[in-house]
Amino acid sequence: MLEEEKIDDGMTGGQIIPINIEEHMKTAYINYSMSVIVARALPDVRDGLKPVHRRILYDMSAELGLSSDKPTRKSARIVGDVLGKFHPHGDSSVYEAMVRMAQNWSMRYPLVDGQGNFGSMDGDSAAAMRYTEARMQKITDEVLADIDKDTVDWTGNFDDTMLEPKVLPTKIPLLLVNGSSGIAVGMATNMAPHNLSEVVDACCAYIDNPEMECEELLRYVKGPDFPTGGLIYGYEGVKEALISGRCRVVLRARTEVEHTPSGRECIVVTEIPYTVNKEQMIKKIAAMVNERKIEGISYINDESDRNGLRIIIILKPDAVASVVLNTLYKNSELQTSFPVNNIALVNGRPQLLNLKELIHHFVEHRHEVVVRRTRFDLKKAEDRLHIVLGLLIAQDNIDEVIHTIRAAKNPEEAKAALIEKFGLSDIQSAAIIEMRLRALTGLEHGKLVAERDELERQIAYFKEVLADVSKQMEIIKEELQEMKAKYGDERRSEIIYSSEEFNPEDFYADDDMVITISHMGYIKRTPLTEYRTQNRGGVGAKGSATRDEDFIEHIYVASMHNTMLFFTEKGRCYWLKVYEIPEGTRSSKGRAIQNVIQIEPDDKVRAYINVKRLTDEEYINNNYIVMCTQDGTIKKTKLEAYSRPRANGVNAIVIREGDQLIDAKLTSGDAEVLIAARDGKAIRFNENTVRAIGRVGAGVRGISIEESDAVVGMICIEPDSKQDVLVLSENGYGKRTDLEEYRITNRGGKGVKTINVTEKTGKLISIQAVTDDNDLMIINRSGLTIRTAVEQIRVAGRATQGVRIINLREGDAIASVMAVPKSEEAEETVPSAEGGEAPATESTQE
């Protein structure tokens, strides 16, 4: 399609030229697009700033003098100055850009120091610019440092009345540390912020080895580091974003599980994902709770204050925190994604950049700045030296100089005479004419000589720098390290790895851990080395901080790489890696087991088995799980039936009403089984007498007991084992007995006496299989623990009452007993009953 365009030639009164409207529209749109891309929406790869940000910072620095050590000025004054001199757009675009540079939740390293209401994370807008004031942050002084030393190119402003910089000579890689976002025409950029310390280390590593691959730089830059902190879920997205420049990074809020004063569980949110509006997020969660799209939440409240963000989500009594949290991640902004798209202007053209390219362009920019700055300083020093040398000539010939000047009719004639008589330059002669009489003193002469020497030294250094690229790069590194020392800080965003991305075992040493589970269901892992050996009869060391009504009920030992099978008293089985259990000190309470594995609120873990090779077909088909219940039922199932972990667990044994699971053991299929009851009876039979059945089944009779009696434990001793049978009563009496003293009987019988139960000993509490290479770890209901060597406990007859193993305070009783590997550490000093410190001593044998 053609359209006529009238062009006035000034003589004929106009000329009609036909044009192609399609081509004209295409050209006009391309020009508009490039204007938006280059002059508005995309940052420059060198200083990481868009034109509006660059103009604001330059105006605050050069035009208004609002450096970090100067008083603040009205924002309206700053905006007006920027509009009138450099940025002929709407005032809101300039003010909003300045406000964002002052918000510490929007920028990782804010560039503007704002005074007044500059908005909030709830989406509140800043106060009008007539009410707020601003100046530059201290870090911004480094962004504009040396701008007056011909370090960057300049261009005319919109009306060519003054100059503005095309780029700022920043010492800080702003594009990486603060990121950027913008929508141009046909393209957009969305760059994540990073940690300054990590980026500086990566830049220095690149300077040392420019040939290094992008993957090698990942050792220094771990990933984005958002100003609002939070969690980055999954490393693959982070890695892809840094290597390719484009990917999606998943962000999660940082949460903790706490308890209200009434004991209710609550999820506490302390950090939210980047760019999320806190108020809107809370409203959406509340709306979903009211609409029953999210179950298990009874109350949500924002308790944030000047000390930090804090959102409280109180759960219903029967809710499981981990389940509710996963639902929130799925349905609310507690989990969002950040689409990384690293597009920036390189030589005026938009380009997709990876981490190495971003660092390369910044280092090249800094290299140019250092070279141009050094040239400027060199010229300035040479010019000054030229004048100083002329002044020294004048001082050395002061009488002739004075006579020549006095004889001249005017300054121009005096300058010409000095040039002719002393061989001076025009600049030198002008400086001599302007010289004051005080310069004739001996002190001033000494100052000029010292200045000359210093200038000569500086000039030699500048020339040396300009002649050696390695020295230039060393200067860049030194200045970067200075920026890191001044402004570097710790990471705020933590990167957590999803299970499918890596083998978590590679991150944990295979150390032995003590797993403790309290009566009220709190679990933790503690390094075994924290528990040190005491002599038999010791009082014990404090083992766990529990509530008054709580006590440690189960204690197990496993290595970090083991897979643990948890068996509950209701007969269900759950899986967990040891490193997934929350770590705690020996005195800490631990974490509610419902937050670690998804067991029912009224269920308890009763037994645990640790295995390493659930994927080994031969191993899982030739080993068995033997379970025993409180009423004496025993069940045997192949390990293979429990080799496929499920998050919600599986049924392991059918539990009849009024019964519960007591213990479960891993066996080879040929073990000797001993089951002991509270009244002091124990039965021994071979595992072969129990037929292996599937997971769905109730088992068979293991021991016959009275209605008032109950099974306290089961041990399984393998044929080649040298283990003895160790029994312990609730009042602290115990003994070791040779296995052969227990005769083999038919499964389902009443058994034989294993300990002489008296009022002094109390009922039987535990049966363990031990050797001299074991220690015995005992925890009582008050939370005290003692670890004593098994070899200190003498071997006694089957029907005796044994010796005192642990001294119990009045009203206390043993809660849990476990045989653990022997410790090589020395005897530990423990608190005595009177509150002082005394070494544990051996009790008199009964």
Side-chain angles (χ1 to χ4, degrees):
M1 179 183 290
L2 296 178
E3 185 173 292
E4 294 181 337
E5 181 177 334
K6 185 177 181 180
I7 299 178
D8 188 357
D9 60 5
M11 295 175 62
T12 62
Q15 181 182 1
I16 304 297
I17 300 175
I19 63 169
N20 188 310
I21 191 170
E22 183 179 343
E23 291 297 325
H24 185 73
M25 290 291 292
K26 187 183 296 183
T27 303
Y29 190 72
I30 289 174
N31 291 339
Y32 163 72
S33 301
M34 290 308 297
S35 173
V36 173
I37 290 170
V38 175
R40 190 177 301 181
L42 297 186
D44 193 293
V45 72
R46 295 169 292 177
D47 63 1
L49 298 172
K50 298 178 188 178
V52 64
H53 300 114
R54 189 178 301 116
R55 288 163 177 167
I56 291 170
L57 296 181
Y58 174 69
D59 188 82
M60 292 177 74
S61 173
E63 300 297 316
L64 299 175
L66 296 178
S67 56
S68 60
D69 57 348
K70 297 294 192 299
T72 57
R73 298 279 289 274
K74 282 289 185 183
S75 298
R77 174 72 173 87
I78 300 169
V79 171
D81 210 55
V82 173
L83 289 178
K85 293 178 179 178
F86 305 112
H87 200 72
H89 298 278
D91 58 358
S92 62
S93 65
V94 176
Y95 185 51
E96 287 170 8
M98 189 182 79
V99 165
R100 189 174 185 277
M101 286 194 289
Q103 293 174 338
N104 58 10
W105 63 91
S106 294
M107 300 201 84
R108 183 62 177 83
Y109 300 91
L111 302 176
V112 172
D113 180 10
Q115 184 172 318
N117 176 14
F118 275 77
S120 72
M121 292 179 71
D122 289 330
D124 301 319
S125 58
M129 55 185 162
R130 62 183 178 273
Y131 299 122
T132 62
E133 298 181 357
R135 63 182 174 185
M136 298 193 306
Q137 289 275 10
K138 190 174 182 181
I139 194 173
T140 316
D141 295 340
E142 314 291 354
V143 176
L144 288 133
D146 304 323
I147 196 170
D148 56 346
K149 293 187 176 183
D150 190 32
T151 51
V152 294
D153 293 332
W154 297 72
T155 185
N157 67 341
F158 62 91
D159 59 1
D160 280 333
T161 58
M162 59 194 308
L163 295 176
E164 64 173 307
K166 290 184 177 180
V167 68
L168 298 184
T170 174
K171 293 181 180 180
I172 295 167
L174 286 178
L175 191 57
L176 271 168
V177 301
N178 270 339
S180 183
S181 64
I183 301 174
V185 179
M187 65 182 65
T189 184
N190 202 35
M191 305 183 69
H194 295 79
N195 184 270
L196 175 60
S197 299
E198 293 180 359
V199 172
V200 166
D201 290 341
C203 290
C204 293
Y206 172 81
I207 292 171
D208 291 336
N209 179 21
E211 303 300 321
M212 70 192 311
E213 296 296 328
C214 190
E215 288 83 351
E216 296 179 69
L217 290 169
L218 301 190
R219 291 185 298 172
Y220 305 96
V221 180
K222 303 295 185 291
D225 189 25
F226 297 100
T228 54
L231 306 176
I232 299 174
Y233 182 70
Y235 186 66
E236 283 304 313
V238 172
K239 183 178 179 182
E240 182 65 22
L242 293 174
I243 293 176
S244 70
R246 179 176 289 160
C247 198
R248 175 174 158 274
V249 176
V250 178
L251 308 180
R252 282 183 171 182
R254 186 183 296 276
T255 60
E256 298 174 359
V257 177
E258 296 182 1
H259 289 82
T260 64
S262 62
R264 295 267 290 278
E265 281 191 334
C266 61
I267 298 171
V268 180
V269 181
T270 55
E271 295 173 3
I272 60 175
Y274 187 47
T275 71
V276 168
N277 184 311
K278 173 165 65 71
E279 184 180 22
Q280 291 298 322
M281 180 189 74
I282 294 172
K283 286 181 178 178
K284 289 178 182 177
I285 294 174
M288 285 188 285
V289 171
N290 292 333
E291 295 167 4
R292 299 190 179 278
K293 291 181 179 178
I294 297 179
E295 300 288 343
I297 296 176
S298 65
Y299 178 73
I300 181 170
N301 189 37
D302 184 5
E303 297 183 357
S304 304
D305 55 22
R306 67 181 62 187
N307 296 319
L309 186 146
R310 183 177 173 87
I311 302 169
I312 303 293
I313 302 172
I314 299 179
L315 306 184
K316 293 179 179 178
D318 58 343
V320 178
S322 59
V323 175
V324 174
L325 191 56
N326 286 331
T327 306
L328 288 170
Y329 284 147
K330 182 179 179 180
N331 297 294
S332 76
E333 287 185 306
L334 283 185
Q335 176 174 305
T336 63
S337 62
F338 185 91
V340 176
N341 192 24
N342 293 342
I343 292 180
L345 295 176
V346 181
N347 298 323
R349 300 176 67 88
Q351 186 174 328
L352 181 67
L353 304 163
N354 62 22
L355 175 62
K356 182 179 178 180
E357 291 166 337
L358 288 167
I359 291 174
H360 164 75
H361 290 298
F362 171 74
V363 171
E364 287 297 304
H365 174 55
R366 281 305 297 167
H367 185 212
E368 182 182 357
V369 168
V370 168
V371 170
R372 292 178 65 162
R373 182 184 67 193
T374 306
R375 286 176 183 160
F376 179 88
D377 290 338
L378 173 62
K379 185 177 184 308
K380 186 176 180 182
E382 289 176 336
D383 291 347
R384 177 59 185 167
L385 178 62
H386 184 63
I387 293 173
V388 169
L389 291 175
L391 294 176
L392 286 173
I393 290 172
Q395 282 194 334
D396 291 340
N397 302 276
I398 189 62
D399 294 335
E400 290 184 63
V401 168
I402 293 173
H403 177 74
T404 301
I405 294 174
R406 290 184 64 185
K409 295 179 180 179
N410 53 54
E412 292 301 321
E413 186 178 322
K415 284 173 59 178
L418 289 173
I419 292 172
E420 181 181 352
K421 183 173 289 187
F422 297 105
L424 301 173
S425 68
D426 187 68
I427 295 174
Q428 287 175 321
S429 61
I432 291 171
I433 294 295
E434 300 294 332
M435 186 172 62
R436 297 183 178 184
L437 289 175
R438 70 180 185 186
L440 303 179
T441 64
L443 180 62
E444 291 297 320
H445 182 272
K447 286 183 179 179
L448 286 174
V449 171
E451 186 179 1
R452 178 199 64 192
D453 294 342
E454 176 62 21
L455 288 169
E456 288 176 345
R457 187 193 65 77
Q458 289 180 3
I459 289 169
Y461 170 74
F462 293 144
K463 289 181 176 179
E464 186 180 356
V465 169
L466 290 172
D468 190 347
V469 176
S470 64
K471 287 189 180 297
Q472 298 162 13
M473 291 298 176
E474 200 61 37
I475 291 172
I476 297 172
K477 284 177 59 179
E478 289 174 0
E479 291 179 349
L480 283 170
Q481 291 294 343
E482 182 185 352
M483 296 302 101
K484 177 183 174 180
K486 283 185 178 180
Y487 310 107
D489 55 5
E490 296 296 323
R491 281 190 67 87
R492 296 182 188 176
S493 297
E494 179 185 352
I495 300 175
I496 57 176
Y497 298 81
S498 55
S499 57
E500 64 272 11
E501 290 180 338
F502 73 110
N503 181 6
E505 292 180 3
D506 296 339
F507 294 81
Y508 300 99
D510 197 18
D511 298 330
D512 285 334
M513 292 284 157
V514 174
I515 314 299
T516 56
I517 303 171
S518 76
H519 180 72
M520 296 184 68
Y522 287 86
I523 187 171
K524 67 177 179 180
R525 62 176 165 89
T526 307
L528 183 60
T529 53
E530 284 201 19
Y531 294 87
R532 301 170 64 187
T533 307
Q534 298 177 12
N535 283 340
R536 174 170 62 78
V539 177
K542 187 68 177 175
S544 181
T546 57
R547 299 181 182 180
D548 292 341
E549 66 272 20
D550 198 11
F551 58 88
I552 298 299
E553 192 167 39
H554 297 281
I555 179 167
Y556 309 111
V557 174
S559 70
M560 285 284 277
H561 292 184
N562 286 10
T563 299
M564 296 197 307
L565 277 64
F566 288 92
F567 293 86
T568 70
E569 63 181 26
K570 286 190 174 184
R572 289 187 64 80
C573 173
Y574 299 85
W575 293 260
L576 200 64
K577 287 284 189 178
V578 171
Y579 54 74
E580 294 175 328
I581 297 175
E583 184 172 5
T585 62
R586 193 172 65 178
S587 60
S588 65
K589 182 175 66 174
R591 186 174 174 186
I593 201 165
Q594 286 88 352
N595 293 334
V596 183
I597 54 177
Q598 298 178 19
I599 68 171
E600 297 177 12
D602 58 342
D603 204 358
K604 288 183 182 179
V605 172
R606 300 295 300 182
Y608 133 95
I609 292 171
N610 65 309
V611 294
K612 287 188 176 181
R613 302 187 300 278
L614 281 180
T615 56
D616 187 333
E617 292 291 331
E618 183 179 355
Y619 177 77
I620 62 177
N621 282 295
N622 288 285
N623 285 277
Y624 300 85
I625 301 292
V626 176
M627 289 165 277
C628 180
T629 71
Q630 187 172 272
D631 73 354
T633 300
I634 188 168
K635 179 185 175 182
K636 176 180 172 184
T637 308
K638 278 189 178 182
L639 177 60
E640 190 274 338
Y642 305 99
S643 63
R644 292 171 288 278
R646 297 182 192 173
N648 296 325
V650 296
N651 287 324
I653 182 174
V654 174
I655 299 294
R656 298 182 178 91
E657 186 176 355
D659 196 9
Q660 64 181 32
L661 185 70
I662 287 295
D663 211 345
K665 302 290 184 184
L666 179 69
T667 70
S668 64
D670 296 315
E672 294 293 327
V673 179
L674 275 82
I675 301 175
R678 282 178 57 81
D679 285 343
K681 291 288 188 70
I683 189 171
R684 173 190 174 189
F685 55 86
N686 194 278
E687 184 186 348
N688 287 323
T689 62
V690 183
R691 181 174 62 88
I693 59 175
R695 274 199 304 108
V696 182
V700 296
R701 173 63 55 190
I703 185 173
S704 295
I705 55 175
E706 300 295 333
E707 188 173 339
S708 59
D709 201 0
V711 171
V712 296
M714 171 188 69
I715 60 173
C716 298
I717 300 178
E718 297 295 337
D720 296 332
S721 174
K722 303 295 184 182
Q723 292 174 306
D724 293 330
V725 178
L726 187 145
V727 289
L728 193 68
S729 70
E730 58 188 1
N731 290 342
Y733 288 83
K735 62 174 179 172
R736 294 165 62 192
T737 305
D738 191 280
L739 174 65
E740 296 308 317
E741 290 206 23
Y742 294 84
R743 69 177 185 272
I744 297 177
T745 61
N746 292 328
R747 174 181 55 80
K750 293 185 177 181
V752 297
K753 184 180 287 188
T754 184
I755 189 172
N756 188 23
V757 173
T758 65
E759 185 176 346
K760 182 169 68 173
T761 65
K763 297 287 188 178
L764 187 64
I765 188 100
S766 173
I767 181 170
Q768 301 286 330
V770 298
T771 68
D772 284 346
D773 293 328
N774 287 127
D775 286 345
L776 199 63
M777 189 173 290
I778 306 167
I779 295 182
N780 58 31
R781 291 174 184 265
S782 61
L784 296 178
T785 181
I786 185 171
R787 181 172 177 168
T788 187
V790 168
E791 62 185 358
Q792 293 185 1
I793 303 172
R794 70 177 180 88
V795 178
R798 177 171 53 78
T800 61
Q801 70 177 16
V803 298
R804 185 181 291 278
I805 303 297
I806 181 172
N807 292 325
L808 297 173
R809 294 183 174 95
E810 186 177 353
D812 206 355
I814 292 176
S816 180
V817 183
M818 182 64 186
V820 299
K822 186 175 183 178
S823 171
E824 300 298 329
E825 296 186 17
E827 177 183 330
E828 180 183 24
T829 299
V830 297
S832 68
E834 290 74 29
E837 290 201 352
T841 56
E842 187 171 331
S843 299
T844 304
Q845 183 172 312
E846 297 291 335

